Amino acid sequence: MSSSGAGTEGNRNSDYGKRRFKRSRSHFTDRITQDGKDGWPVEPGRYRLVVSRACPWASRALVSRRLLGLEDVLSLAVADPVQDDRSWRFTLDPAGEDPVLGIRYLFEAYDARERDYPGGVSVPAVVDVPSGKLVTNDYQRITLDLATEWRDLHRPGAPDLCPEALREEIDAVMEGIYRDLNNGVYRAGFATGQQEYEEAYTDVFRRLDSVTEHLRDRRYLVGDAITEADIRLFTTLVRFDAVYHGHFKCNRYKITENEVLWAYLRDLYQTPGFGDTVDFDHTKRHYYTVHTGINPTRIVPSGPDLSGLTTPHHRERLGGRPFGDGTPPGPPPAAERT
């Protein structure tokens, strides 16, 4: 999610709904790997993950980091959910400065890597602490590498989020969910014309209907345990009723009105590592305050009532083991609790 809006190209906050939506590709695609082939070897304490709790793409990284137990080796910076046209800012921290990187805006790490970089400043981002340079903003790749390249630093009992035997199926499921749902809600919300909106709206609910049937008799998307595919679906579903249903006009039904998806969402939300990374205040304030092109009053709705997320879901009747052969993560560090 870029400072100019969810990875869109060149938009200011006031441009939403006025320019055709286009998600920009990640410009900085270096990888942090065991062999350090891109110049960035996996090292404990060397890198800092920058996120916004409002952003579904960054939330993937938050969930993965928690499930894998990487809190002590990959530090976390949380940006203010209400950014300005300059980029994500660290106004939640004392003196408005990230205490580790010593910067006030995320674009400073981008500038340290590439002066006058013309694209959007997006989260999630991984920054090299010693140099202060951005390493990567490749939101599609970051979590996959956390699950595989960082394996030697995982906590004991960490789940395998990308089992090799299921990798092809996981990739196929994630591709459809990304195209029609993760990205589809943005295409609907930022549409500049009726046909553009209706095409995106159709994609969103066609995919939700398909996922509903897929999950009707199985607990998780692929296999019998949580995988990367579930993480990517969760971060959109958990924002759907609070933001996408109203703000983005994806209003054929709410997730609470879909028996299967509502139970699936509650199941994941109540699983350690998922709901404890969610901040609905950050989420709603970001979308409704920042997207002034489609919400010029900047009024943040009081609803919906989300207390039902903690009610029994009964999905355990379908079998499956949330963490496979692993174990649940411990509680989040006190400083990171939402």
Side-chain angles (χ1 to χ4, degrees), residues 44-320:
R46 175 170 176 176
Y47 305 100
R48 190 157 175 81
L49 174 66
V50 182
V51 303
S52 163
R53 293 191 185 276
C55 172
W57 321 99
S59 290
R60 296 176 183 178
L62 282 171
V63 174
S64 296
R65 177 175 171 271
R66 281 274 291 121
L67 293 177
L68 300 173
L70 293 171
E71 292 97 330
D72 291 338
V73 299
L74 176 63
S75 66
L76 181 68
V78 178
D80 192 313
V82 182
Q83 82 273 45
D84 60 28
D85 286 333
R86 286 171 289 183
S87 84
W88 298 98
R89 50 188 184 167
F90 297 107
T91 45
L92 301 180
D93 295 300
E97 180 179 283
D98 180 81
V100 173
L101 299 174
I103 57 177
R104 301 177 69 85
Y105 287 89
L106 180 55
F107 80 76
E108 297 175 61
Y110 279 67
D111 274 355
R113 173 69 184 274
E114 183 178 314
R115 179 64 63 181
D116 297 324
Y117 157 67
V121 177
S122 63
V123 290
V126 181
V127 179
D128 177 52
V129 174
S131 67
K133 294 180 179 179
L134 178 80
V135 176
T136 178
N137 67 344
D138 190 348
Y139 61 93
Q140 297 284 46
R141 187 74 239 178
I142 287 173
T143 50
L144 295 175
D145 282 343
L146 291 181
T148 54
E149 297 294 329
W150 291 65
R151 195 179 299 274
D152 289 347
L153 297 178
H154 290 179
R155 65 178 175 86
D160 187 351
L161 299 176
C162 296
E164 188 63 39
L166 300 176
R167 191 72 56 84
E168 186 174 339
E169 184 179 357
I170 290 171
D171 287 345
V173 169
M174 291 192 305
E175 196 280 329
I177 288 173
Y178 167 78
R179 181 187 63 244
D180 297 334
L181 189 56
N182 299 146
N183 198 47
V185 292
Y186 285 93
R187 290 192 291 113
F190 295 148
T192 58
Q194 190 69 33
Q195 182 177 349
E196 181 186 352
Y197 158 73
E198 290 182 1
E199 289 173 354
Y201 174 98
T202 298
D203 289 343
V204 166
F205 284 98
R206 183 179 62 243
R207 182 60 56 180
L208 284 176
D209 290 347
S210 174
V211 169
T212 297
E213 293 310 308
H214 184 79
L215 290 170
R216 193 174 295 280
D217 59 358
R218 66 182 77 192
R219 192 170 180 186
Y220 303 111
L221 285 169
V222 182
D224 66 352
I226 291 164
T227 66
E228 172 81 10
D230 295 291
I231 296 173
R232 295 190 180 198
L233 178 56
F234 170 81
T235 57
T236 292
L237 292 186
V238 80
R239 288 164 173 76
F240 200 91
D241 289 7
V243 175
Y244 304 143
H245 180 272
H247 187 54
F248 280 177
K249 306 180 186 69
C250 295
N251 58 1
R252 187 176 125 199
Y253 57 73
K254 296 179 181 178
I255 300 304
T256 54
E257 297 166 349
N258 180 312
E259 182 180 7
V260 172
L261 293 182
W262 178 226
Y264 170 81
L265 176 57
R266 298 196 321 269
D267 188 4
L268 289 182
Y269 186 85
Q270 295 169 35
T271 299
F274 283 83
D276 52 29
T277 67
V278 174
D279 190 315
F280 286 113
D281 172 65
H282 278 212
T283 298
K284 292 201 299 182
R285 283 198 291 126
H286 169 76
Y287 282 91
Y288 286 99
T289 301
V290 171
H291 300 161
T292 55
I294 57 177
N295 186 40
T297 66
R298 305 181 79 204
I299 293 173
V300 180
S302 297
D305 180 3
L306 299 166
S307 60
L309 282 165
T310 58
T311 60
H313 53 78
H314 307 299
R315 293 277 294 180
E316 64 277 358
R317 297 172 182 173
L318 296 174

Side-chain angles (χ1 to χ4, degrees), residues 7 9 22-29 117 122 137-139:
E9 292 188 349
K22 184 179 180 182
R23 184 170 301 285
S24 56
R25 294 183 177 181
S26 300
H27 180 74
F28 300 98
T29 57
Y117 157 67
S122 63
N137 67 344
D138 190 348
Y139 61 93

